[in-house]
Amino acid sequence: MSSKFGPLPPTDEQVVRGFLRDKDFLVFSPSSYNTVGLGTTQLYNSTLVYNHKRHGVFKLGNRDFDFRVKPRFPKKLTSEFLYVDLLNNLGELAEDSDAVLSQARTRLLSFNPSRLQQALDSYGNMATRKRVREWLDG
């Protein structure tokens, strides 16, 4: 593709598709967690790639991609997936964990219950599932 200024660089998805030689992956930045409304504010200069083939940080072009092998991930980002994934990865983030957990508990009922349950069942680790179950039980 090109713009009026010349050729455009490939998108992250195009770069990853060429590297993996596969279309089954999810590319996103941890900054996407900020859209869920849990008080996260950090901007991350990293790109996560959930996939079934490669694990590790790879430099593709002039960017680093953090590939993580996951058994399951959605085709596209949803609020419910980001909520669950944020809780799964809270220890890796540069956020105040207690403040995020407090907000996560408060915001729990604002999500579509069936979509949240599906995200928990499909993508939640044991600690995340247990925590949310305890919050729901009161």
Side-chain angles (χ1 to χ4, degrees):
M1 285 185 30
S2 64
S3 72
K4 64 182 179 179
F5 302 107
L8 293 173
T11 65
D12 289 349
E13 287 76 11
Q14 290 170 325
V15 170
V16 169
R17 187 177 305 118
F19 178 71
L20 289 175
R21 296 188 180 129
D22 190 357
K23 293 187 274 186
D24 194 13
F25 58 85
L26 179 67
V27 176
F28 69 103
S29 166
S31 300
S32 300
Y33 297 140
N34 298 349
T35 65
V36 182
L38 302 185
T40 58
T41 58
Q42 296 292 321
L43 296 177
Y44 295 88
N45 190 22
S46 63
T47 303
L48 296 174
V49 181
Y50 288 179
N51 72 101
H52 300 297
K53 292 182 172 184
R54 303 297 296 264
H55 187 78
V57 176
F58 296 90
K59 189 169 201 67
L60 304 176
N62 61 352
R63 306 234 357 247
D64 288 336
F65 292 83
D66 185 354
F67 286 78
R68 298 181 182 189
V69 173
K70 298 282 186 175
R72 290 175 302 284
F73 47 84
K75 296 272 186 222
K76 62 181 184 151
L77 294 177
T78 65
S79 295
E80 292 81 9
F81 169 77
L82 287 168
Y83 178 88
V84 170
D85 202 59
L86 181 149
L87 292 175
N88 286 346
N89 296 308
L90 188 56
E92 297 178 27
L93 303 176
E95 304 285 351
D96 178 342
S97 296
D98 292 335
V100 171
L101 288 172
S102 176
Q103 279 291 99
R105 185 175 188 168
T106 301
R107 296 254 316 139
L108 179 62
L109 299 178
S110 69
F111 292 95
N112 176 294
S114 63
R115 288 197 307 247
L116 180 60
Q117 189 61 55
Q118 181 182 17
L120 280 167
D121 292 344
S122 298
Y123 315 117
N125 62 30
M126 293 300 284
T128 296
R129 287 188 214 159
K130 181 180 179 202
R131 177 177 283 134
V132 172
R133 198 170 28 251
E134 287 171 356
W135 290 343
L136 289 171
D137 290 343

